[in-house]
Amino acid sequence: MIVFDRIGQKLLFTFDPETAHGMSIAALRCGLPVGARTVRDDRLKLSLCGIAFPNPLGMAAGYDKNAEVPDALLGLGFGFAEVGTVTPLPQAGNPKPRIFRLTEDDAVINRLGFNNGGHEAAEMRLAARKGRVGIVGVNIGANKDSADRVRDYELGVSRFAKYASYLTVNISSPNTPGLRTMQAREQLGELLARVVSARASASAQPPIFLKIAPDLVEAELEDIAAEVSEKQIDGVIVSNTTLARTGLRSTTSETGGLSGKPLFERSTIVLAKMRKLLGPERAIIGVGGVDSAETALEKIRAGADLVQLYTGMIYAGPALPGRILAGMVRFADKERLKSLRELRDSRLDEWAARPL
């Protein structure tokens, strides 16, 4: 399978990144590629926010923007898949080219700008799969030229609550001008209050997660944690892409959000600090630089309940989820764990003490 992945990667890497991405979606729609052998183990299971996850590894938002292949992703071994970001109206996003591989760093820069087919198209696909097993979250956003961005999030909650295992409020993309300012306390408080109200009026009440940026300082994290706690948001996803370019081997002047291996340290520090602020009960999903069992387990040690990946699979191939889960099982065997939950927070203090 590793050889197959390498051949597939070399083939896809002969195309520009956005074309390669489209080809991978098309392949999944057709039942290809095949992932590693399905890994099932009771020690990987956990219950969070009323949802029974078969394992803690998920596909992050940004890959399946239009909810085209969530079940195919689950078939690769993921315990859950997050689709989107979806905005009320279709939008083309930013001009191309807008995705750039940094192969020396196992990283990607993107400035896509919430390109997607809009609520109506995604709803049709999600409605068609309603009743199927499998945990599928829906990541909602705002249109670039929206006159009322908070209203866009309300519309997303109202439209997708009945289809989503959980909803993610994404205000952390660096590629929509002004979006990250919604992380400021006053704006965030209004947003979260209106989102919670919209969920209360919907026909279903799935958990709501807030996705935040890694490029935050301590005071901003404190404000976000306070609003999340006050508004009773179910959890936080840490984190989206970064604007920083620290420690890259590659030379690049491209703007946009950086993902992949270089994001691991910063995103894990922010994760640990957020766990300290939120306490032990609030759900946290760790994202950023996950490309192996070791990095996934380290996110859990730093305070994550669940972990997600995306860029790691660009470089390691579709068998990566199965390899990570198999590695987790081997670790549980070695350490004689009854559940991976025993690992959570075991290095929380160490990660939280690191400077941003």
Side-chain angles (χ1 to χ4, degrees):
M1 186 61 68
I2 292 174
V3 172
F4 178 82
D5 285 353
R6 286 176 179 168
I7 293 170
Q9 183 206 59
K10 286 184 177 179
L11 174 62
L12 287 176
F13 275 30
T14 63
F15 296 90
D16 72 88
E18 193 154 355
T19 299
H21 175 262
M23 292 172 66
S24 71
I25 292 284
L28 283 169
R29 281 202 305 265
C30 296
L32 295 170
V34 179
R37 181 177 58 85
T38 301
V39 177
R40 294 187 177 91
D41 192 293
D42 286 347
R43 293 168 296 180
L44 300 181
K45 295 179 179 178
L46 73 158
S47 180
L48 191 70
C49 300
I51 303 171
F53 290 86
N55 67 65
L57 183 67
M59 171 57 93
Y63 177 76
D64 187 9
K65 289 179 175 292
N66 293 303
E68 296 177 85
V69 290
D71 293 293
L73 289 169
L74 295 174
L76 295 179
F78 288 109
F80 61 108
E82 187 171 320
V83 302
T85 298
V86 189
T87 57
L89 299 176
Q91 61 182 27
N94 294 320
K96 298 179 182 180
R98 53 194 181 177
I99 309 177
F100 309 90
R101 300 185 190 101
L102 278 59
T103 54
E104 291 181 76
D105 297 284
D106 286 352
V108 167
I109 291 173
N110 93 80
R111 49 174 181 264
L112 288 162
F114 286 173
N115 57 309
N116 73 106
H119 280 185
E120 184 175 353
E123 183 183 19
M124 288 178 61
R125 296 186 182 101
L126 291 169
R129 76 168 302 275
K130 192 169 173 62
R132 294 184 194 174
V133 297
I135 300 165
V136 177
V138 179
N139 184 300
I140 56 175
N143 282 112
K144 179 180 179 179
D145 58 356
S146 174
D148 185 349
R149 286 182 171 173
V150 175
R151 178 61 178 159
D152 284 9
Y153 288 97
E154 290 177 308
L155 292 171
V157 171
S158 300
R159 191 145 200 171
F160 295 110
K162 61 184 174 182
Y163 306 112
S165 302
Y166 66 88
L167 291 164
T168 297
V169 175
N170 183 5
I171 54 172
S172 53
S173 170
N175 300 316
T176 297
L179 189 74
R180 284 188 170 186
T181 63
M182 298 182 80
Q183 294 175 123
R185 185 160 189 177
E186 184 175 348
Q187 292 187 57
L188 181 61
E190 179 189 359
L191 170 67
L192 296 183
R194 287 172 60 176
V195 161
V196 169
S197 179
R199 179 180 61 177
S201 301
S203 58
Q205 285 76 45
I208 293 175
F209 296 148
L210 176 70
K211 188 165 187 175
I212 65 172
D215 306 319
L216 296 162
V217 299
E218 300 265 5
E220 292 170 319
L221 293 175
E222 291 169 5
D223 286 347
I224 290 170
E227 290 298 330
V228 165
S229 298
E230 182 181 315
K231 303 302 189 297
Q232 291 296 295
I233 299 302
D234 298 278
V236 177
I237 300 180
V238 186
S239 66
N240 212 314
T241 57
T242 181
L243 293 172
R245 301 291 186 263
T246 306
L248 292 180
R249 295 187 184 95
S250 309
T251 300
T252 180
S253 59
E254 299 295 348
T255 60
L258 174 74
S259 61
K261 191 170 288 188
L263 181 56
F264 178 78
E265 183 172 4
R266 173 82 185 198
S267 62
T268 307
I269 294 170
V270 174
L271 157 64
K273 290 182 183 294
M274 187 55 67
R275 171 59 73 198
K276 283 280 193 179
L277 291 166
L278 291 174
E281 302 303 321
R282 197 82 57 188
I284 297 181
I285 301 177
V287 200
V290 174
D291 59 3
S292 63
E294 290 73 23
T295 49
L297 291 168
E298 196 63 19
K299 291 281 188 187
I300 296 172
R301 293 185 184 101
D305 299 291
L306 304 167
V307 295
Q308 290 177 321
L309 61 82
Y310 173 5
T311 303
M313 204 163 79
I314 293 174
Y315 288 97
L320 180 61
R323 291 203 297 271
I324 288 176
L325 295 173
M328 287 179 166
V329 170
R330 288 193 298 271
F331 178 83
D333 287 339
K334 178 184 175 183
E335 299 297 323
R336 299 182 179 180
L337 301 178
K338 294 180 180 178
S339 168
L340 276 189
R341 295 285 285 178
E342 297 174 39
L343 195 64
R344 207 199 79 179
D345 299 345
S346 58
R347 291 185 183 167
L348 173 59
D349 290 341
E350 176 188 332
W351 278 103
R354 298 186 188 187
L356 289 171

